Amino acid sequence: MTERTLAIIKPDAVERHLAGKIIQRIEDEGFQIRAMRRSHLSAKQAEGFYAVHRERPFFGSLTTFMSSGPAIVLVLEAPDAIKKWRTLMGATDPAKADAGTMRKEFAQSIERNATHGSDAPDTAAYEIGYFFAGLDLL
Ligand code: ATP
Ligand code: MG
């Protein structure tokens, strides 16, 4: 079933000029890019995006990092896109990520881990709506 997910090339990867390599890989793996935008989140916007993690000890550090510089936000479409993109990203902690995954290749740490991907259909719908209006996605 064709599905959409929200991907973010996080500020650590944008800063190191890895966006081109990551986007190339996204296309090589057969995703359609349905929307894309560069966005420098404010602290408040990063807190809203990661609100599910607000009780976690890393929340302050994570939202400071995510608002530290521009990110590139994409809507990806493919059959089974949510799981497909999370598999391509690899484990949250790059030390545990499989060879060939984005995080194994590009992450610097468990926090500065290069990419984000929605984890379920309901979070994908929320996250896509957080960044893109319906008319951007026709
Ligand atoms: P994402 O939601 O960004 O795709 P994920 O679903 O693999 O990542 P989550 O558990 O949702 O992982 O954590 C969200 C983000 O918070 C991680 O991607 C990472 O940047 C940061 N993070 C997660 N765990 C830790 C930790 N123990 N220490 C520091 N940062 C962390
Ligand atoms: Mg997550």
Side-chain angles (χ1 to χ4, degrees), residues 10 50 53 58 62 86 89 92 103 110-111 113 116-117:
K10 293 185 180 183
Y50 276 121
H53 293 314
F58 56 80
L62 170 63
R86 288 195 58 99
M89 286 201 300
T92 310
R103 283 161 167 176
I110 192 169
E111 179 174 276
N113 61 359
H116 162 83

Side-chain angles (χ1 to χ4, degrees), residues 57 77 137:
E77 189 174 271
L137 286 161

Side-chain angles (χ1 to χ4, degrees), residues 51-73:
V52 290
H53 293 314
R54 63 186 171 279
E55 306 300 336
R56 308 283 281 280
F58 56 80
F59 182 69
S61 176
L62 170 63
T63 53
T64 297
F65 158 56
M66 288 299 290
S67 57
S68 67
I72 294 174
V73 189

